[in-house]
Amino acid sequence: MSSYSIQEFMEKTERSESPSEVFGLQSERILEVDLTDNVWAKMGTMIGYTGDIKFERERALEHGVERAVKKTFTDEGGELMKASGRGRLFLADQGKRVTILDLGSQQLTVNGNDLLAFEPSIDWDIEFMRKAAGMMAGGLFNITLQGEGKIAVTTYFEPLTLPVTSDQPVFTDPSATVAWSGGLTPEFHTDINYRTFLGKGSGESIQMKFSGDGFVIVQPGFETE
């Protein structure tokens, strides 16, 4: 157990120099946002701020009727909040590792539980993997983001990126799957036999299969039901 004087503790844990861009890391688990207008973030992830910032829950029709209907029937990965004003905003999600990605007009689909924040310049929509209905309780709904700007995603520990090619699909555990690039076609793949029903299977009977050209981001840890 470490022991510090008050001064030593303050020096060790005080906020470091501010990032030079809108999104920056105070540590590998804390996102700092240099807020001058507004930003969208996962509800309940604000851990502190300075300046004059107001927080609003995402309104029912904030992003149009179609998206509101999708959210009603999917209950996607927690609600969004909009932080508006000027100041420094600090975000974190259950101690998970934070990674900042610059989309650069590319498309990325992220598991709703793993999306921490994104700039207002980013366009987004909810994707529903219908073929998975009835196969598993979670991991069916994801958020597709595209445009110019940055997003922040969270992972349990260090993420791993797996390349996908047209002749080499990639299979992943749905709960470990964080995000995938726009050039991929995801589908649920089952490997169920009599041993699965007898309770002697490996536990990996439901998988995600990614085909096309691109990449998949996975994490080495995740919550279990």
Side-chain angles (χ1 to χ4, degrees), residues 70-204:
K70 287 183 180 180
K71 286 185 70 65
T72 298
F73 287 98
T74 63
D75 191 26
E76 167 54 37
E79 295 181 83
L80 293 173
M81 65 178 181
K82 180 167 66 174
S84 305
R86 301 182 67 88
R88 297 283 176 175
L89 172 62
F90 301 93
L91 302 171
D93 188 8
Q94 301 180 38
K96 295 166 67 177
R97 183 187 181 96
V98 180
T99 300
I100 300 171
L101 300 173
D102 190 339
L103 286 188
S105 296
Q106 298 185 57
Q107 179 178 300
L108 192 70
T109 300
V110 183
N111 183 300
N113 287 323
D114 300 319
L115 181 62
L116 179 61
F118 56 93
E119 294 188 78
S121 58
I122 299 294
D123 186 34
W124 63 279
D125 201 0
I126 293 171
E127 300 294 333
F128 176 32
M129 298 188 68
R130 297 180 184 279
K131 291 184 179 180
M135 294 169 57
M136 58 183 297
L140 306 182
F141 309 106
N142 306 281
I143 300 176
T144 296
L145 307 105
Q146 59 186 347
E148 292 286 347
K150 290 183 172 60
I151 68 172
V153 299
T154 58
T155 57
Y156 288 100
F157 310 108
E158 184 78 22
L160 172 68
T161 298
L162 301 173
V164 183
T165 60
S166 56
D167 61 345
Q168 187 65 58
V170 167
F171 298 84
T172 67
D173 183 317
S175 298
T177 306
V178 177
W180 60 88
S181 58
L184 299 184
T185 301
E187 60 181 322
F188 275 78
H189 174 79
T190 59
D191 182 21
I192 299 177
N193 53 40
Y194 79 96
R195 292 179 64 85
T196 302
F197 290 107
L198 292 175
K200 297 181 180 180
S202 68
E204 311 299 331

Side-chain angles (χ1 to χ4, degrees), residues 21-32:
E21 299 183 337
V22 176
F23 279 10
L25 295 179
Q26 270 298 308
S27 73
E28 65 177 15
R29 302 177 190 279
I30 299 176
L31 176 72
E32 179 175 352

